[in-house]
Amino acid sequence: MTTEADWETLVVAATGASAVAYCPYSRFAVGAAVRTRDGRIFAGCNVENASFGLTVCAERNAIFQAVAAGAREIAALVVYTSTPTPSTPCGACRQVLLELGANAEVLCVGDGPERRLFTAVTLLPEAFALPPR
């Protein structure tokens, strides 16, 4: 279970990451931070590209950084947008999160007072999975 102090650490990391987002096309800066099961924190921002399909969301950026460092289980994710109300992860990010954190808690925050808390599986019920080998 994620503590309030853990959430605040993740919110600060996600907010900081949004400040360096590369989003010249959408002008929609997003920051994300994940905490792995072993307590490490990784942050990421969205990185856009003129070839829009090559854009990477903040959530996947943070998750991929954790994986590159050897993590295999995400415990918590914060998504920050500089909007009055929180935004939730896109479908692609939800699918990636489920692969590495089906039980992860997901907190979405913006600049207003509202906070939305989910679990990864409630964000993407009936997600795609390969059959067992």
Side-chain angles (χ1 to χ4, degrees):
M1 192 75 170
T2 306
T3 68
E4 190 57 37
D6 290 336
W7 284 128
E8 289 314 308
T9 299
L10 289 167
V11 167
V12 168
T15 302
S18 76
V20 295
Y22 179 73
C23 52
Y25 307 104
S26 71
R27 305 239 187 273
F28 185 64
V30 181
V34 297
R35 181 177 51 81
T36 61
R37 219 22 100 192
D38 62 6
R40 292 180 290 163
I41 294 175
F42 298 88
C45 62
N46 55 319
V47 180
E48 296 180 346
N49 188 277
S51 177
F52 294 143
L54 299 179
T55 294
V56 177
C57 298
E59 299 92 326
R60 283 181 285 148
N61 195 334
I63 292 167
F64 294 163
Q65 287 189 56
V67 169
R72 294 295 181 264
E73 192 172 356
I74 303 300
L77 165 72
V78 165
V79 179
Y80 167 80
T81 54
S82 60
T83 54
T85 58
S87 297
T88 59
C90 75
C93 291
R94 294 174 190 206
Q95 180 68 42
V96 168
L97 177 61
L98 276 171
E99 180 90 10
L100 296 159
N103 296 314
E105 298 172 290
V106 180
L107 180 66
C108 302
V109 300
D111 287 336
E114 182 182 3
R115 290 181 169 210
R116 299 184 68 196
L117 183 62
F118 304 92
T119 61
V121 74
T122 62
L123 283 171
L124 190 62
E126 301 299 322
F128 174 78
L130 291 174
R133 292 184 186 186

